[in-house]
Amino acid sequence: MTLATVLGQPRAVDALLAALRSGAVHHAYLFAGPEGVGKELAAVGLAQALTCPEQPDVGCGACASCQRVERGLHPDVTWVMPDDERVSRGLAGRSDFTGTPSRELRVEQVRQLQERIALRGLESRRKVALIVSAQTMNVQAQNAFLKTLEEPPSDTTLILVASAIDRLLPTIRSRCGKVHFGPLPVALVAQRVAEARKLDAETAMLAAVMAGGSLGRAMALDVDALSRRKDTITAFEALRGEDAVGLLRFAEAHGGSREESESTLELLALWTRDVALVKSGLESGLANRDMVELARQVAARTSDILLHRRHSLLDAARAAIARNGAPRLQLERMLIDLFTETSR
């Protein structure tokens, strides 16, 4: 793997290759875009290019240095990520932590990074730090990280990988060279998913569309859940404000865990987008293409103002859960706020 092999992001890759060729590499980059579209792969490719002894400023992808960067074992490339992400990647076990592994990047991790990059490189002419899920830095960590951005070591490149840059302080964003990564082409995602997961073309295309151009999400989608999504959407549209028991039952059924609740909210956000597209006469862009009749019915009875409110409440619930809010409680609150307003 090299930077040039990152698929579906020509503008981002070309900008980075041009900076490498001209020697105008920033001391800090912010790779911004949705989850699963190649940001981290590009960060690894840039780290390879900056440390490769065989093809400097390009990265060969084959030498021992490049391979160690890819495996996270290079002594001059430091990885920083939340503890729970280390657990999910198999880099640590839950028994390695006291209590629940943190979902945030903490100030202690930033200080350890600062100590690490202050040391001389062991092998390469340049040191690199990859800060994964940078948007999870808490306020104390961000304030500490600002000091590094303001006075960076001359031989170090910092690469922040973030899916929600609005959670980062404006002062952090302004001190980084921004590289934007957009959703991948749906056809590309469908092709890769079909090949990797041995899916038929129709199922692979549905997975790609449901994932919103994210290869990572499409690869992780439960194929059985693609069929269950119809039941979830139908049950959601059947809810009414006067049926408080029904609202609570829906939240109970879909708020059993953070992962389940986030998946439900993402599905409903995508469905809300489908309804808005139908209202605009753009049915060809639907994600849930097999539910166009229901989308037409909902569009006919739902105002633009209410659709906007639905989108805002779904987004607020997702943000609250991301900040460790109780999944079921956030679902209940979102449903009550939405359907109480609808029934007035």
Side-chain angles (χ1 to χ4, degrees), residues 206-285:
L206 180 57
V209 172
M210 292 295 297
S214 167
L215 180 58
R217 287 182 180 176
M219 288 293 189
L221 270 178
D222 180 355
V223 175
D224 293 334
L226 292 177
S227 59
R228 292 198 300 270
R229 85 194 190 286
K230 292 185 180 181
D231 296 333
T232 300
I233 292 171
T234 302
F236 174 75
E237 290 298 349
L239 294 172
R240 295 295 179 266
E242 61 271 17
D243 182 14
V245 174
L247 299 180
L248 296 178
R249 283 177 177 169
F250 186 93
E252 180 181 10
H254 300 282
S257 67
R258 175 170 63 88
E259 291 76 14
E260 183 181 10
S261 60
E262 288 179 336
S263 177
T264 299
L265 290 167
E266 288 176 3
L267 171 61
L268 295 179
L270 195 59
W271 170 248
T272 299
R273 170 185 172 276
D274 281 352
V275 175
L277 287 174
V278 169
K279 285 185 73 69
S280 302
L282 301 173
E283 293 184 5
S284 62

Side-chain angles (χ1 to χ4, degrees), residues 13-88:
V13 170
D14 288 348
L16 292 171
L17 289 174
L20 288 165
R21 286 192 295 266
S22 66
V25 176
H26 285 276
H27 72 281
Y29 282 99
L30 176 55
F31 287 8
E35 295 283 357
V37 298
K39 300 187 304 297
E40 190 172 324
L41 290 177
V44 171
L46 180 57
Q48 289 174 319
L50 293 170
T51 57
C52 181
E54 301 297 328
Q55 297 184 35
D57 298 329
V58 177
C60 69
C63 69
S65 175
C66 285
Q67 292 184 15
R68 280 184 293 160
V69 171
E70 187 172 347
R71 296 197 302 269
L73 300 175
H74 197 290
D76 296 326
V77 178
T78 302
W79 290 73
V80 183
M81 66 184 70
D83 291 339
D84 76 328
E85 192 155 347
R86 292 179 58 207
V87 172
S88 67

Side-chain angles (χ1 to χ4, degrees), residues 3-14 37-39 41 180-186 188-189 192 213 215:
L3 185 60
T5 63
V6 175
L7 297 176
Q9 301 292 351
R11 292 183 63 182
V13 170
D14 288 348
V37 298
K39 300 187 304 297
L41 290 177
H180 293 281
F181 292 75
L184 295 170
V186 171
L188 171 62
V189 175
R192 296 297 298 274
L215 180 58

